[in-house]
Amino acid sequence: MEFTLSGNALKTLARSITCLSRVGNDLAIQASPSQISFHMLNSSRSAYQLITFKPDLFDVFTVSGAQVQCSVLLKAVCSVLRTPISNIDYLSMQLPDLNASKVQWALQCFSGIKKTYWITCNVGPDIQQLSLDRRKYPSNFVVRPRDLNRLLVNFQSSLQEITIIATERNSDPSDVASEFGGKTVEFRSYIDPTKGLF
């Protein structure tokens, strides 16, 4: 498995890795000739995240065989992306073969500096698949990232969980209710008073 990306695609990957880092510690990578997926499951198995990219995002995308999978420590991948994205010409990742014990991540910087990282693969990647019948849960939540960020800054950054509660249509005839279909979404947090705040 090998991929190379640059420019906006690199920014997209970096943001995705940052997003995944908020969920768990072990990044499971699953690639086939038609896509690459990054799976994340938190330690208590209560949160799952999957981000999938199609090959057209990448400058180079090669997968030998039907499917390749490995698992790496996400903290190590985050350290690769610690270099400012504006200084990186391109990033490449290579898993030489299915039994390789390390994944190579390489950054080519505009300054001519090349940084190479060898990240150890975990034995037996734990690839989870979400088995959820979406027809049983017809609600969905769509928000622009900028608006969601404005909502979340009102909560303490040390919070582990934020609860999102969606309610059914209300009968409020106001203009605001009709504009948004009369639905309400509520964000809640809970701080255990028995735990210290620091």
Side-chain angles (χ1 to χ4, degrees), residues 32-72:
S32 68
S34 62
Q35 68 183 24
I36 186 167
S37 300
F38 297 100
H39 300 259
M40 183 62 64
L41 183 67
N42 71 347
S43 58
S44 63
R45 296 181 159 311
S46 63
Y48 171 79
Q49 187 172 10
L50 167 68
I51 297 177
T52 302
F53 296 112
K54 299 295 182 188
D56 57 352
L57 176 77
F58 302 92
D59 300 332
V60 173
F61 184 82
T62 308
V63 176
S64 56
Q67 191 172 41
V68 176
Q69 54 188 26
C70 68
S71 177
V72 295

mmCIF file of all heavy atoms in Angstrom, residues 32-72:
data_model
loop_
_atom_site.group_PDB
_atom_site.id
_atom_site.type_symbol
_atom_site.label_atom_id
_atom_site.label_comp_id
_atom_site.label_asym_id
_atom_site.label_seq_id
_atom_site.Cartn_x
_atom_site.Cartn_y
_atom_site.Cartn_z
ATOM 1 N N SER A 32 -8.259 -0.713 0.074
ATOM 2 C CA SER A 32 -8.526 -1.566 -1.077
ATOM 3 C C SER A 32 -8.261 -0.703 -2.307
ATOM 4 O O SER A 32 -8.077 0.511 -2.177
ATOM 5 C CB SER A 32 -9.973 -2.066 -1.041
ATOM 6 O OG SER A 32 -10.871 -1.000 -1.254
ATOM 7 N N PRO A 33 -8.241 -1.277 -3.502
ATOM 8 C CA PRO A 33 -7.993 -0.443 -4.687
ATOM 9 C C PRO A 33 -9.018 0.672 -4.890
ATOM 10 O O PRO A 33 -8.743 1.662 -5.559
ATOM 11 C CB PRO A 33 -8.043 -1.456 -5.846
ATOM 12 C CG PRO A 33 -7.649 -2.753 -5.220
ATOM 13 C CD PRO A 33 -8.230 -2.706 -3.830
ATOM 14 N N SER A 34 -10.205 0.552 -4.266
ATOM 15 C CA SER A 34 -11.254 1.551 -4.485
ATOM 16 C C SER A 34 -11.363 2.611 -3.397
ATOM 17 O O SER A 34 -12.039 3.627 -3.585
ATOM 18 C CB SER A 34 -12.613 0.862 -4.634
ATOM 19 O OG SER A 34 -12.926 0.174 -3.437
ATOM 20 N N GLN A 35 -10.693 2.409 -2.227
ATOM 21 C CA GLN A 35 -10.788 3.385 -1.134
ATOM 22 C C GLN A 35 -9.808 3.074 -0.032
ATOM 23 O O GLN A 35 -9.264 1.981 0.040
ATOM 24 C CB GLN A 35 -12.201 3.427 -0.564
ATOM 25 C CG GLN A 35 -12.589 2.158 0.175
ATOM 26 C CD GLN A 35 -14.024 2.197 0.673
ATOM 27 O OE1 GLN A 35 -14.852 2.910 0.141
ATOM 28 N NE2 GLN A 35 -14.314 1.430 1.705
ATOM 29 N N ILE A 36 -9.619 4.060 0.860
ATOM 30 C CA ILE A 36 -8.863 3.848 2.095
ATOM 31 C C ILE A 36 -9.718 4.374 3.245
ATOM 32 O O ILE A 36 -10.342 5.435 3.138
ATOM 33 C CB ILE A 36 -7.474 4.526 2.062
ATOM 34 C CG1 ILE A 36 -6.654 4.160 3.301
ATOM 35 C CG2 ILE A 36 -7.594 6.027 1.888
ATOM 36 C CD1 ILE A 36 -5.193 4.527 3.208
ATOM 37 N N SER A 37 -9.783 3.585 4.317
ATOM 38 C CA SER A 37 -10.620 3.941 5.459
ATOM 39 C C SER A 37 -9.770 4.001 6.716
ATOM 40 O O SER A 37 -8.888 3.168 6.925
ATOM 41 C CB SER A 37 -11.727 2.902 5.663
ATOM 42 O OG SER A 37 -12.546 2.820 4.532
ATOM 43 N N PHE A 38 -10.076 4.986 7.540
ATOM 44 C CA PHE A 38 -9.434 5.143 8.844
ATOM 45 C C PHE A 38 -10.503 4.890 9.900
ATOM 46 O O PHE A 38 -11.503 5.602 9.961
ATOM 47 C CB PHE A 38 -8.851 6.548 8.985
ATOM 48 C CG PHE A 38 -7.769 6.850 7.997
ATOM 49 C CD1 PHE A 38 -8.037 7.597 6.864
ATOM 50 C CD2 PHE A 38 -6.477 6.386 8.198
ATOM 51 C CE1 PHE A 38 -7.042 7.879 5.939
ATOM 52 C CE2 PHE A 38 -5.473 6.663 7.282
ATOM 53 C CZ PHE A 38 -5.750 7.406 6.154
ATOM 54 N N HIS A 39 -10.295 3.848 10.722
ATOM 55 C CA HIS A 39 -11.260 3.456 11.750
ATOM 56 C C HIS A 39 -10.715 3.837 13.119
ATOM 57 O O HIS A 39 -9.536 3.650 13.397
ATOM 58 C CB HIS A 39 -11.472 1.937 11.746
ATOM 59 C CG HIS A 39 -11.980 1.395 10.457
ATOM 60 N ND1 HIS A 39 -13.301 1.075 10.253
ATOM 61 C CD2 HIS A 39 -11.348 1.102 9.286
ATOM 62 C CE1 HIS A 39 -13.454 0.608 9.033
ATOM 63 N NE2 HIS A 39 -12.276 0.604 8.427
ATOM 64 N N MET A 40 -11.599 4.320 13.963
ATOM 65 C CA MET A 40 -11.208 4.693 15.319
ATOM 66 C C MET A 40 -12.302 4.234 16.278
ATOM 67 O O MET A 40 -13.486 4.450 16.033
ATOM 68 C CB MET A 40 -11.028 6.203 15.420
ATOM 69 C CG MET A 40 -10.566 6.674 16.758
ATOM 70 S SD MET A 40 -8.972 6.059 17.259
ATOM 71 C CE MET A 40 -7.927 6.765 16.034
ATOM 72 N N LEU A 41 -11.881 3.576 17.361
ATOM 73 C CA LEU A 41 -12.791 3.127 18.403
ATOM 74 C C LEU A 41 -12.184 3.537 19.728
ATOM 75 O O LEU A 41 -10.999 3.296 19.961
ATOM 76 C CB LEU A 41 -12.936 1.599 18.333
ATOM 77 C CG LEU A 41 -13.901 0.943 19.300
ATOM 78 C CD1 LEU A 41 -15.338 1.333 18.977
ATOM 79 C CD2 LEU A 41 -13.754 -0.581 19.216
ATOM 80 N N ASN A 42 -12.981 4.167 20.593
ATOM 81 C CA ASN A 42 -12.404 4.600 21.871
ATOM 82 C C ASN A 42 -12.211 3.414 22.810
ATOM 83 O O ASN A 42 -12.715 2.311 22.564
ATOM 84 C CB ASN A 42 -13.222 5.724 22.509
ATOM 85 C CG ASN A 42 -14.555 5.269 23.050
ATOM 86 O OD1 ASN A 42 -15.027 4.175 22.783
ATOM 87 N ND2 ASN A 42 -15.194 6.133 23.810
ATOM 88 N N SER A 43 -11.479 3.625 23.884
ATOM 89 C CA SER A 43 -11.103 2.525 24.773
ATOM 90 C C SER A 43 -12.296 1.883 25.466
ATOM 91 O O SER A 43 -12.280 0.689 25.756
ATOM 92 C CB SER A 43 -10.095 3.011 25.811
ATOM 93 O OG SER A 43 -10.650 4.073 26.552
ATOM 94 N N SER A 44 -13.349 2.636 25.711
ATOM 95 C CA SER A 44 -14.525 2.058 26.370
ATOM 96 C C SER A 44 -15.528 1.488 25.370
ATOM 97 O O SER A 44 -16.602 1.034 25.760
ATOM 98 C CB SER A 44 -15.212 3.112 27.246
ATOM 99 O OG SER A 44 -15.676 4.169 26.450
ATOM 100 N N ARG A 45 -15.179 1.542 24.087
ATOM 101 C CA ARG A 45 -16.013 1.013 22.997
ATOM 102 C C ARG A 45 -17.390 1.678 22.947
ATOM 103 O O ARG A 45 -18.382 1.055 22.597
ATOM 104 C CB ARG A 45 -16.152 -0.500 23.100
ATOM 105 C CG ARG A 45 -14.846 -1.249 22.925
ATOM 106 C CD ARG A 45 -15.075 -2.720 23.013
ATOM 107 N NE ARG A 45 -14.127 -3.625 22.447
ATOM 108 C CZ ARG A 45 -13.565 -3.642 21.250
ATOM 109 N NH1 ARG A 45 -13.806 -2.678 20.415
ATOM 110 N NH2 ARG A 45 -12.742 -4.576 20.853
ATOM 111 N N SER A 46 -17.438 2.950 23.291
ATOM 112 C CA SER A 46 -18.703 3.680 23.256
ATOM 113 C C SER A 46 -18.760 4.691 22.118
ATOM 114 O O SER A 46 -19.820 5.241 21.842
ATOM 115 C CB SER A 46 -18.930 4.392 24.590
ATOM 116 O OG SER A 46 -17.909 5.349 24.804
ATOM 117 N N ALA A 47 -17.630 4.938 21.476
ATOM 118 C CA ALA A 47 -17.609 5.895 20.355
ATOM 119 C C ALA A 47 -16.806 5.289 19.205
ATOM 120 O O ALA A 47 -15.755 4.682 19.418
ATOM 121 C CB ALA A 47 -16.989 7.214 20.790
ATOM 122 N N TYR A 48 -17.322 5.453 18.008
ATOM 123 C CA TYR A 48 -16.701 4.894 16.815
ATOM 124 C C TYR A 48 -16.685 5.971 15.733
ATOM 125 O O TYR A 48 -17.644 6.728 15.603
ATOM 126 C CB TYR A 48 -17.514 3.690 16.343
ATOM 127 C CG TYR A 48 -17.105 3.136 15.001
ATOM 128 C CD1 TYR A 48 -15.997 2.313 14.886
ATOM 129 C CD2 TYR A 48 -17.836 3.420 13.852
ATOM 130 C CE1 TYR A 48 -15.623 1.789 13.669
ATOM 131 C CE2 TYR A 48 -17.466 2.907 12.630
ATOM 132 C CZ TYR A 48 -16.358 2.086 12.544
ATOM 133 O OH TYR A 48 -15.979 1.573 11.332
ATOM 134 N N GLN A 49 -15.604 6.026 14.997
ATOM 135 C CA GLN A 49 -15.520 6.995 13.904
ATOM 136 C C GLN A 49 -14.862 6.326 12.708
ATOM 137 O O GLN A 49 -13.887 5.588 12.847
ATOM 138 C CB GLN A 49 -14.724 8.215 14.334
ATOM 139 C CG GLN A 49 -14.744 9.317 13.303
ATOM 140 C CD GLN A 49 -14.111 10.595 13.834
ATOM 141 O OE1 GLN A 49 -13.503 10.614 14.891
ATOM 142 N NE2 GLN A 49 -14.252 11.648 13.100
ATOM 143 N N LEU A 50 -15.400 6.606 11.539
ATOM 144 C CA LEU A 50 -14.875 6.060 10.293
ATOM 145 C C LEU A 50 -14.774 7.189 9.285
ATOM 146 O O LEU A 50 -15.739 7.920 9.067
ATOM 147 C CB LEU A 50 -15.807 4.964 9.761
ATOM 148 C CG LEU A 50 -15.577 4.488 8.330
ATOM 149 C CD1 LEU A 50 -14.256 3.749 8.227
ATOM 150 C CD2 LEU A 50 -16.718 3.589 7.888
ATOM 151 N N ILE A 51 -13.600 7.347 8.701
ATOM 152 C CA ILE A 51 -13.404 8.334 7.639
ATOM 153 C C ILE A 51 -12.870 7.584 6.428
ATOM 154 O O ILE A 51 -11.896 6.838 6.532
ATOM 155 C CB ILE A 51 -12.434 9.449 8.066
ATOM 156 C CG1 ILE A 51 -13.010 10.222 9.249
ATOM 157 C CG2 ILE A 51 -12.133 10.374 6.896
ATOM 158 C CD1 ILE A 51 -12.110 11.305 9.799
ATOM 159 N N THR A 52 -13.523 7.754 5.291
ATOM 160 C CA THR A 52 -13.156 7.039 4.068
ATOM 161 C C THR A 52 -12.799 8.037 2.977
ATOM 162 O O THR A 52 -13.482 9.039 2.796
ATOM 163 C CB THR A 52 -14.328 6.155 3.600
ATOM 164 O OG1 THR A 52 -14.662 5.243 4.645
ATOM 165 C CG2 THR A 52 -13.978 5.379 2.352
ATOM 166 N N PHE A 53 -11.715 7.747 2.256
ATOM 167 C CA PHE A 53 -11.287 8.569 1.135
ATOM 168 C C PHE A 53 -11.249 7.728 -0.130
ATOM 169 O O PHE A 53 -10.847 6.561 -0.097
ATOM 170 C CB PHE A 53 -9.884 9.149 1.371
ATOM 171 C CG PHE A 53 -9.811 10.103 2.530
ATOM 172 C CD1 PHE A 53 -9.106 9.769 3.669
ATOM 173 C CD2 PHE A 53 -10.448 11.336 2.483
ATOM 174 C CE1 PHE A 53 -9.020 10.635 4.742
ATOM 175 C CE2 PHE A 53 -10.379 12.211 3.548
ATOM 176 C CZ PHE A 53 -9.661 11.864 4.680
ATOM 177 N N LYS A 54 -11.629 8.323 -1.238
ATOM 178 C CA LYS A 54 -11.551 7.680 -2.550
ATOM 179 C C LYS A 54 -10.176 7.968 -3.156
ATOM 180 O O LYS A 54 -9.533 8.963 -2.816
ATOM 181 C CB LYS A 54 -12.656 8.196 -3.473
ATOM 182 C CG LYS A 54 -14.055 7.917 -2.959
ATOM 183 C CD LYS A 54 -14.323 6.435 -2.916
ATOM 184 C CE LYS A 54 -15.739 6.154 -2.442
ATOM 185 N NZ LYS A 54 -15.977 4.761 -2.201
ATOM 186 N N PRO A 55 -9.720 7.133 -4.090
ATOM 187 C CA PRO A 55 -8.376 7.296 -4.666
ATOM 188 C C PRO A 55 -8.135 8.634 -5.371
ATOM 189 O O PRO A 55 -6.997 9.089 -5.436
ATOM 190 C CB PRO A 55 -8.275 6.150 -5.669
ATOM 191 C CG PRO A 55 -9.251 5.133 -5.198
ATOM 192 C CD PRO A 55 -10.358 5.910 -4.545
ATOM 193 N N ASP A 56 -9.185 9.271 -5.867
ATOM 194 C CA ASP A 56 -8.975 10.528 -6.602
ATOM 195 C C ASP A 56 -8.525 11.683 -5.705
ATOM 196 O O ASP A 56 -8.099 12.723 -6.195
ATOM 197 C CB ASP A 56 -10.213 10.915 -7.403
ATOM 198 C CG ASP A 56 -11.470 11.051 -6.560
ATOM 199 O OD1 ASP A 56 -11.442 10.703 -5.363
ATOM 200 O OD2 ASP A 56 -12.498 11.493 -7.114
ATOM 201 N N LEU A 57 -8.580 11.519 -4.383
ATOM 202 C CA LEU A 57 -8.050 12.536 -3.475
ATOM 203 C C LEU A 57 -6.515 12.577 -3.528
ATOM 204 O O LEU A 57 -5.908 13.619 -3.345
ATOM 205 C CB LEU A 57 -8.494 12.250 -2.033
ATOM 206 C CG LEU A 57 -7.926 13.184 -0.957
ATOM 207 C CD1 LEU A 57 -8.671 14.515 -0.977
ATOM 208 C CD2 LEU A 57 -8.005 12.544 0.415
ATOM 209 N N PHE A 58 -5.894 11.450 -3.822
ATOM 210 C CA PHE A 58 -4.449 11.283 -3.722
ATOM 211 C C PHE A 58 -3.750 11.548 -5.051
ATOM 212 O O PHE A 58 -4.310 11.332 -6.118
ATOM 213 C CB PHE A 58 -4.128 9.855 -3.252
ATOM 214 C CG PHE A 58 -4.754 9.511 -1.932
ATOM 215 C CD1 PHE A 58 -6.004 8.913 -1.861
ATOM 216 C CD2 PHE A 58 -4.105 9.798 -0.745
ATOM 217 C CE1 PHE A 58 -6.588 8.604 -0.646
ATOM 218 C CE2 PHE A 58 -4.675 9.495 0.479
ATOM 219 C CZ PHE A 58 -5.918 8.899 0.524
ATOM 220 N N ASP A 59 -2.493 11.990 -4.957
ATOM 221 C CA ASP A 59 -1.664 12.137 -6.151
ATOM 222 C C ASP A 59 -1.250 10.754 -6.647
ATOM 223 O O ASP A 59 -1.211 10.499 -7.842
ATOM 224 C CB ASP A 59 -0.413 12.978 -5.841
ATOM 225 C CG ASP A 59 -0.767 14.378 -5.352
ATOM 226 O OD1 ASP A 59 -1.838 14.887 -5.734
ATOM 227 O OD2 ASP A 59 0.014 14.953 -4.581
ATOM 228 N N VAL A 60 -0.900 9.883 -5.708
ATOM 229 C CA VAL A 60 -0.553 8.489 -6.001
ATOM 230 C C VAL A 60 -1.323 7.633 -5.012
ATOM 231 O O VAL A 60 -1.368 7.937 -3.813
ATOM 232 C CB VAL A 60 0.971 8.237 -5.814
ATOM 233 C CG1 VAL A 60 1.293 6.759 -5.960
ATOM 234 C CG2 VAL A 60 1.785 9.073 -6.767
ATOM 235 N N PHE A 61 -1.959 6.574 -5.491
ATOM 236 C CA PHE A 61 -2.695 5.658 -4.623
ATOM 237 C C PHE A 61 -2.562 4.252 -5.191
ATOM 238 O O PHE A 61 -3.069 3.963 -6.266
ATOM 239 C CB PHE A 61 -4.170 6.052 -4.530
ATOM 240 C CG PHE A 61 -4.961 5.207 -3.567
ATOM 241 C CD1 PHE A 61 -4.937 5.489 -2.214
ATOM 242 C CD2 PHE A 61 -5.720 4.138 -4.010
ATOM 243 C CE1 PHE A 61 -5.663 4.725 -1.308
ATOM 244 C CE2 PHE A 61 -6.448 3.366 -3.123
ATOM 245 C CZ PHE A 61 -6.419 3.661 -1.764
ATOM 246 N N THR A 62 -1.839 3.377 -4.478
ATOM 247 C CA THR A 62 -1.592 2.019 -4.948
ATOM 248 C C THR A 62 -1.835 1.037 -3.811
ATOM 249 O O THR A 62 -1.304 1.215 -2.712
ATOM 250 C CB THR A 62 -0.123 1.853 -5.419
ATOM 251 O OG1 THR A 62 0.167 2.880 -6.349
ATOM 252 C CG2 THR A 62 0.100 0.505 -6.050
ATOM 253 N N VAL A 63 -2.635 0.028 -4.077
ATOM 254 C CA VAL A 63 -2.870 -1.046 -3.116
ATOM 255 C C VAL A 63 -2.631 -2.352 -3.850
ATOM 256 O O VAL A 63 -3.286 -2.637 -4.849
ATOM 257 C CB VAL A 63 -4.305 -1.009 -2.547
ATOM 258 C CG1 VAL A 63 -4.551 -2.193 -1.633
ATOM 259 C CG2 VAL A 63 -4.557 0.286 -1.815
ATOM 260 N N SER A 64 -1.658 -3.113 -3.357
ATOM 261 C CA SER A 64 -1.392 -4.410 -3.972
ATOM 262 C C SER A 64 -2.266 -5.454 -3.290
ATOM 263 O O SER A 64 -2.273 -5.578 -2.067
ATOM 264 C CB SER A 64 0.086 -4.774 -3.838
ATOM 265 O OG SER A 64 0.469 -4.738 -2.488
ATOM 266 N N GLY A 65 -3.036 -6.179 -4.070
ATOM 267 C CA GLY A 65 -3.946 -7.176 -3.510
ATOM 268 C C GLY A 65 -5.328 -6.601 -3.318
ATOM 269 O O GLY A 65 -5.602 -5.428 -3.598
ATOM 270 N N ALA A 66 -6.214 -7.445 -2.824
ATOM 271 C CA ALA A 66 -7.612 -7.045 -2.654
ATOM 272 C C ALA A 66 -7.798 -6.084 -1.494
ATOM 273 O O ALA A 66 -8.542 -5.119 -1.584
ATOM 274 C CB ALA A 66 -8.479 -8.281 -2.447
ATOM 275 N N GLN A 67 -7.082 -6.354 -0.382
ATOM 276 C CA GLN A 67 -7.257 -5.500 0.790
ATOM 277 C C GLN A 67 -6.013 -5.553 1.682
ATOM 278 O O GLN A 67 -5.412 -6.602 1.859
ATOM 279 C CB GLN A 67 -8.473 -5.940 1.588
ATOM 280 C CG GLN A 67 -8.874 -4.970 2.655
ATOM 281 C CD GLN A 67 -10.196 -5.346 3.291
ATOM 282 O OE1 GLN A 67 -10.457 -6.514 3.541
ATOM 283 N NE2 GLN A 67 -11.025 -4.359 3.543
ATOM 284 N N VAL A 68 -5.652 -4.393 2.223
ATOM 285 C CA VAL A 68 -4.520 -4.266 3.132
ATOM 286 C C VAL A 68 -5.032 -3.591 4.387
ATOM 287 O O VAL A 68 -5.809 -2.634 4.315
ATOM 288 C CB VAL A 68 -3.397 -3.413 2.490
ATOM 289 C CG1 VAL A 68 -2.261 -3.203 3.465
ATOM 290 C CG2 VAL A 68 -2.906 -4.047 1.209
ATOM 291 N N GLN A 69 -4.594 -4.083 5.537
ATOM 292 C CA GLN A 69 -4.992 -3.431 6.781
ATOM 293 C C GLN A 69 -3.862 -3.480 7.793
ATOM 294 O O GLN A 69 -3.076 -4.411 7.815
ATOM 295 C CB GLN A 69 -6.277 -4.017 7.350
ATOM 296 C CG GLN A 69 -6.291 -5.495 7.554
ATOM 297 C CD GLN A 69 -7.685 -5.974 7.935
ATOM 298 O OE1 GLN A 69 -8.687 -5.351 7.613
ATOM 299 N NE2 GLN A 69 -7.754 -7.080 8.643
ATOM 300 N N CYS A 70 -3.800 -2.420 8.571
ATOM 301 C CA CYS A 70 -2.814 -2.336 9.639
ATOM 302 C C CYS A 70 -3.356 -1.392 10.709
ATOM 303 O O CYS A 70 -4.341 -0.694 10.496
ATOM 304 C CB CYS A 70 -1.458 -1.851 9.115
ATOM 305 S SG CYS A 70 -1.440 -0.150 8.552
ATOM 306 N N SER A 71 -2.698 -1.386 11.838
ATOM 307 C CA SER A 71 -3.104 -0.527 12.945
ATOM 308 C C SER A 71 -1.858 0.127 13.518
ATOM 309 O O SER A 71 -0.840 -0.531 13.697
ATOM 310 C CB SER A 71 -3.813 -1.361 14.008
ATOM 311 O OG SER A 71 -4.157 -0.569 15.114
ATOM 312 N N VAL A 72 -1.934 1.426 13.769
ATOM 313 C CA VAL A 72 -0.800 2.164 14.312
ATOM 314 C C VAL A 72 -1.278 3.041 15.461
ATOM 315 O O VAL A 72 -2.469 3.327 15.591
ATOM 316 C CB VAL A 72 -0.112 3.051 13.235
ATOM 317 C CG1 VAL A 72 0.515 2.204 12.156
ATOM 318 C CG2 VAL A 72 -1.083 4.046 12.640
#
